[in-house]
């Protein structure tokens, strides 16, 4: 039987609400065979996830979702099967986290000017990892009754023209690709159907990404509409990009993204896991005996 791959998921190391070990335990319960942990701009959750996965019989692919700026657009590029200890990758991600710290202060300043105080401390209280994301601000704002749910917070407060909006300068696409390649991983454009790009813009992105040495396109995403799938499969074929699939799971509060409940990749796609680099990465797992003992109680 075909394995169940879910190659895009978040933990408390970024803006997910389950710890890395809890995420792995849930993945196993959902029938996932191969799970990639892809926190935003941080690989801090990978060691814990690997330890839990080794016990649960899930294959854990070390990953990261890198924030990128490309032609004034924010894009997300997944690094799959990366070595988290690779220095160029670790240093690059550290610069993005420093930028996030600065941006969080700017977001809080914007909200304070709008009469909402305490947002920085409030967002930080929702963040248990090293990064502060807009999601953490959104949870703070919902908690304090400024909007009824996270989606409404984004519309009202966190997007262009709104009080908590900060124009972002993330990593250049070339840099993100360099870091992923240095770390031995595969670079995949995350949720390509979600960007504000015309179909011409999306083709231009795929072409430039391929020329720079990018590897794949997330053809199936939990944050795509079903109609995106065939379009993305065609794009992957046209630009010789490998196809990936991931739920973009952030926690049980977000019911629309089922962990491990993804549609199959269309038959014409070449899956990202057919690549040699992908096959060899899980063996790099270093399991810490103490951590393993802790997760034995949870699985
Ligand atoms: P950041 O990387 O800090 O700018 O935050 C981006 C994250 O916010 C994404 O990964 C999503 O988890 C979340 N997000 C972005 N837009 C929305 C939205 N419209 N509704 C809910 N969550 C969103
Ligand atoms: Mn997120
Ligand atoms: Mn994303
Ligand atoms: Mn994501």
């Amino acid at each position: 039987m075909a394995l169940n791959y879910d190659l895009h998921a978040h933990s408390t190391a970024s803006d997910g609400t389950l710890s890395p070990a809890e995420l792995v335990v849930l993945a196993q319960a959902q029938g996932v065979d191969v799970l990639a942990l892809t926190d935003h701009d941080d690989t801090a959750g990978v060691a814990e996830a690997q330890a839990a996965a080794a016990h649960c019989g899930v294959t854990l692919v070390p990953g990261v979702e890198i924030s990128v700026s490309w032609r004034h657009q924010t894009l997300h590029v997944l690094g799959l099967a990366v070595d988290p200890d690779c220095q160029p990758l670790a240093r690059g991600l550290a610069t993005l986290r420093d930028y996030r710290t600065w941006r969080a202060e700017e977001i809080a300043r914007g909200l304070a000017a709008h009469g909402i105080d305490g947002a920085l401390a409030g967002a930080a209280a929702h963040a248990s990892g090293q990064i502060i994301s807009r999601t953490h601000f959104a949870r703070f704002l919902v908690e304090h009754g400024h909007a009824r749910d996270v989606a409404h917070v984004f519309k009202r407060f966190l997007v262009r023209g709104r009080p908590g909006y900060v124009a972002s300068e993330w990593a250049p696409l070339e840099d993100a690709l360099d870091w992923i390649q240095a770390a031995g991983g595969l670079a995949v454009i995350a949720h390509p159907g979600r960007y504000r790009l015309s179909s011409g813009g999306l083709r231009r992105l795929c072409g430039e990404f391929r020329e720079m040495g990018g590897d794949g396109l997330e053809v199936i995403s939990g944050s795509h509409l079903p109609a995106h799938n065939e379009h993305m499969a065609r794009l992957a074929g046209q630009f010789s990009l490998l196809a990936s699939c991931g739920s973009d799971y952030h926690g049980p509060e977000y019911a629309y993204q089922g962990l491990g409940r993804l549609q199959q990749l269309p038959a014409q796609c070449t899956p990202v896991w057919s690549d040699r680099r992908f096959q060899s990465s899980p063996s790099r797992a270093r399991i810490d005996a103490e951590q393993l003992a802790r997760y034995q109680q949870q699985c």
Side-chain angles (χ1 to χ4, degrees):
M1 221 175 75
L3 296 179
N4 182 347
Y5 288 83
D6 191 330
L7 301 179
H8 187 160
H10 297 269
S11 75
T12 47
S14 64
D15 59 351
T17 59
L18 298 181
S19 71
E22 288 168 340
L23 179 73
V24 169
V25 170
L26 179 65
Q28 187 213 25
Q30 298 276 101
V32 174
D33 299 296
V34 184
L35 174 74
L37 180 67
T38 55
D39 277 305
H40 297 287
D41 306 327
D42 208 333
T43 58
V46 166
E48 178 182 318
Q50 278 177 326
H55 181 69
C56 295
V58 170
T59 298
L60 195 282
V61 176
V64 64
E65 182 173 15
I66 303 181
S67 309
V68 162
S69 292
W70 177 78
R71 297 179 185 266
H72 309 293
Q73 278 262 347
T74 294
L75 304 177
H76 287 172
V77 175
L78 299 167
L80 296 178
V82 291
D83 173 5
D85 295 332
C86 165
Q87 280 310 300
L89 175 66
R91 278 197 300 271
L93 297 180
T95 64
L96 292 178
R97 293 195 297 271
D98 287 345
Y99 173 71
R100 280 182 176 278
T101 304
W102 172 83
R103 186 189 66 156
E105 287 163 9
E106 291 295 301
I107 292 174
R109 228 190 302 283
L111 291 173
H114 192 69
I116 300 174
D117 290 322
L120 186 57
H126 283 273
S128 53
Q130 300 182 73
I131 73 145
I132 293 200
S133 135
R134 284 184 297 161
T135 313
H136 300 122
F137 280 96
R139 291 184 190 138
F140 161 79
L141 290 164
V142 171
E143 181 184 54
H144 287 264
H146 296 289
R148 91 174 112 93
D149 58 28
V150 164
H152 278 87
V153 175
F154 272 87
K155 276 195 207 128
R156 274 198 215 161
F157 294 102
L158 299 178
V159 295
R160 199 186 296 273
R162 297 296 174 166
Y165 174 72
V166 177
S168 294
E169 257 320 310
W170 299 108
L173 183 56
E174 298 89 326
D175 290 9
L177 288 170
D178 284 348
W179 304 339
I180 293 167
Q181 281 157 7
L186 289 116
V188 172
I189 299 171
H191 42 62
R194 251 191 34 207
Y195 305 122
R196 274 175 203 242
L197 288 172
S198 63
S199 57
L202 205 49
R203 279 201 301 279
R204 176 190 245 178
L205 168 62
C206 290
E208 284 190 23
F209 182 74
R210 190 75 191 101
E211 265 180 30
M212 288 178 197
D215 302 287
L217 193 68
E218 198 172 48
V219 167
I220 305 287
S221 164
S223 58
H224 276 169
L225 301 170
H228 287 130
N229 298 347
E230 279 303 319
H231 179 195
M232 297 311 151
R234 266 199 315 280
L235 264 184
Q238 279 163 10
F239 290 91
S240 306
L241 290 164
L242 300 170
S244 190
C245 60
S247 59
D248 204 0
Y249 188 75
H250 280 72
E253 298 81 356
Y254 301 86
Y256 59 94
Q257 300 157 327
L259 189 66
R261 298 288 151 89
L262 291 161
Q263 282 185 25
Q264 299 258 328
L265 283 177
Q268 76 268 31
C269 290
T270 307
V272 72
W273 50 86
S274 64
D275 189 276
R276 177 185 47 78
R277 287 164 290 174
F278 197 93
Q279 304 286 339
S280 61
S281 92
S283 63
R284 285 207 209 103
R286 278 178 302 273
I287 309 302
D288 177 290
E290 235 176 73
Q291 271 178 336
L292 183 57
R294 248 187 294 141
Y295 301 124
Q296 275 171 350
Q297 289 153 14
Q298 291 183 31
C299 286

